[in-house]
Amino acid sequence: MSLNVAADAAVAVAPIAEAARAPSDRVWFDGALHAVDALQAGLTTHAMHYGSGVFEGIRAYATDDGAAVFRLPEHLARMREGAALLGMAFDPALATEAVLATLRANRHRDAYVRPLAWFGEGGFGLDVEGHAEHLMVATTATRVHLAGTRARLGISSWRRNPADSLPPLKLCGAYVNSILAKRQSKSRGFDEALFTDADGFVVECTGANVFLVKDGRLTAVAHRDALPGITRDTLIALTGASSRAVTVAELLDADEVFACGTAAEVAPVQAIEDRSYGDNPVTRELADLYARVVRGQAEAGRGWLTAV
């Protein structure tokens, strides 16, 4: 195939300020940069008890023109959608400023970026009214999920949160579902879990979408319960891959399978349960293309990069 937090306070809207201490690792919190170990969350923080927060996983990459963030507006638009469902104010312009400021402060070029918005301290109970709203951004050079490795997937007995119960967005509480599935699969000797539905259709992995290759044709797995992945969308745009529902039987019959996501990038699947795949030549070609795109080395997708 040819691939063509200590104190609760309202979220600040003033320009970013520099906190007094200046150690090497910095985190942006409510309008200022702080030492990463200088903040604490109160024990009655609502998000700690009830998962009332929304986050994103974003990547910055070293390019010939300096560090750049890949598809930052799309990530923050999705984060705003999740915040709106929780009744939380979210300003993408402020979040953009925070992401870029944190990357600059930490001098990160290749980095994973974690913005998080959440409800802070207050009384117990499910109502979020009266709880302060917070925004933070942290960055790390540590790879956090699959990281291009040849993963072995176990099919989870847990079902993905159904979209008519929890929307497929990055809501904090929703990811307990992924934790359960991943713990189960790792206890069985696998690297990652694969969610399927009761009708035998593939949903996604715990933090990544799924593609298959069959007879040279690339197909993106589609399911209403799966996160509408930005990396998935990128790969479809780059390759013209079709997008449709896929059964577990089709996945096991495929020539290649790979997972993809901001953290995972393009991660070839070595095996699903006892079905092993080969050396994944199409996946390797696509992984190389994706790596060039995110680093500004390919004409395709240059508009997807935000300079740091």
Side-chain angles (χ1 to χ4, degrees):
M1 175 182 179
S2 179
L3 297 172
N4 301 319
V5 201
D8 283 293
V11 173
V13 295
I16 293 173
E18 182 69 19
R21 292 175 60 192
S24 57
D25 292 329
R26 315 294 283 169
V27 61
W28 190 98
F29 171 70
D30 285 359
L33 288 160
H34 301 263
V36 70
D37 59 353
L39 301 171
Q40 295 180 341
L43 295 181
T44 62
T45 294
H46 197 271
M48 185 188 303
H49 293 270
Y50 302 109
S52 54
V54 59
F55 70 97
E56 275 293 321
I58 306 172
R59 288 287 287 271
Y61 292 93
T63 77
D64 291 340
D65 299 318
V69 186
F70 189 65
R71 301 197 69 172
L72 179 59
E74 291 88 344
H75 279 285
L76 296 181
R78 187 171 65 186
M79 189 170 175
R80 180 173 60 180
E81 185 179 355
L85 287 175
L86 292 172
M88 181 185 297
F90 182 79
D91 181 358
L94 178 65
T96 297
E97 183 186 5
V99 167
L100 300 180
T102 309
L103 286 166
R104 291 177 192 133
N106 290 329
R107 299 182 180 180
H108 281 148
R109 290 167 60 82
D110 287 310
Y112 182 78
V113 182
R114 169 52 54 83
L116 171 69
W118 74 99
F119 287 105
E121 287 189 287
F124 297 115
L126 296 177
D127 290 333
V128 296
E129 289 78 6
H131 294 264
E133 299 176 21
H134 297 294
L135 176 64
M136 63 155 278
V137 175
T139 67
T140 176
T142 304
R143 308 189 97 180
V144 296
H145 184 72
L146 297 183
T149 58
R150 284 173 53 80
R152 298 176 62 251
L153 309 184
I155 297 175
S156 179
S157 65
W158 295 103
R159 302 298 184 200
R160 187 45 128 184
N161 301 312
D164 55 2
S165 293
L166 273 174
L169 295 166
K170 287 189 169 291
L171 302 175
C172 293
Y175 277 77
V176 172
N177 181 222
S178 289
I179 293 170
L180 294 175
K182 189 151 193 172
R183 279 178 53 82
Q184 180 192 65
S185 286
K186 292 192 80 170
S187 73
R188 298 178 57 224
F190 294 98
D191 306 305
E192 172 62 305
L194 179 69
F195 285 110
T196 62
D197 69 16
D199 297 316
F201 286 93
V202 179
V203 183
E204 61 180 342
C205 294
T206 62
N209 296 119
V210 179
F211 280 70
L212 68 86
V213 181
K214 180 66 175 178
D215 297 330
R217 292 191 298 274
L218 189 62
T219 301
V221 172
H223 198 285
R224 67 191 296 268
D225 299 340
L227 182 77
I230 291 169
T231 305
R232 178 184 185 275
D233 177 76
T234 299
L235 297 178
I236 291 172
L238 291 173
T239 66
S242 63
S243 174
R244 62 174 178 82
V246 171
T247 66
V248 175
E250 286 182 274
L251 206 64
L252 297 176
D253 187 53
D255 300 323
E256 301 180 34
V257 174
F258 64 87
C260 71
T262 295
E265 300 180 302
V266 179
V269 169
Q270 177 182 342
I272 299 175
E273 294 291 337
D274 58 0
R275 162 63 163 109
S276 296
Y277 299 92
D279 64 353
N280 301 54
V282 174
T283 302
R284 286 189 281 105
E285 185 181 353
L286 183 54
D288 179 70
L289 172 61
Y290 183 77
R292 288 186 284 113
V293 167
V294 298
R295 295 183 183 281
Q297 297 168 356
E299 190 61 34
R302 285 190 185 273
W304 285 330
L305 294 170
T306 299
V308 174

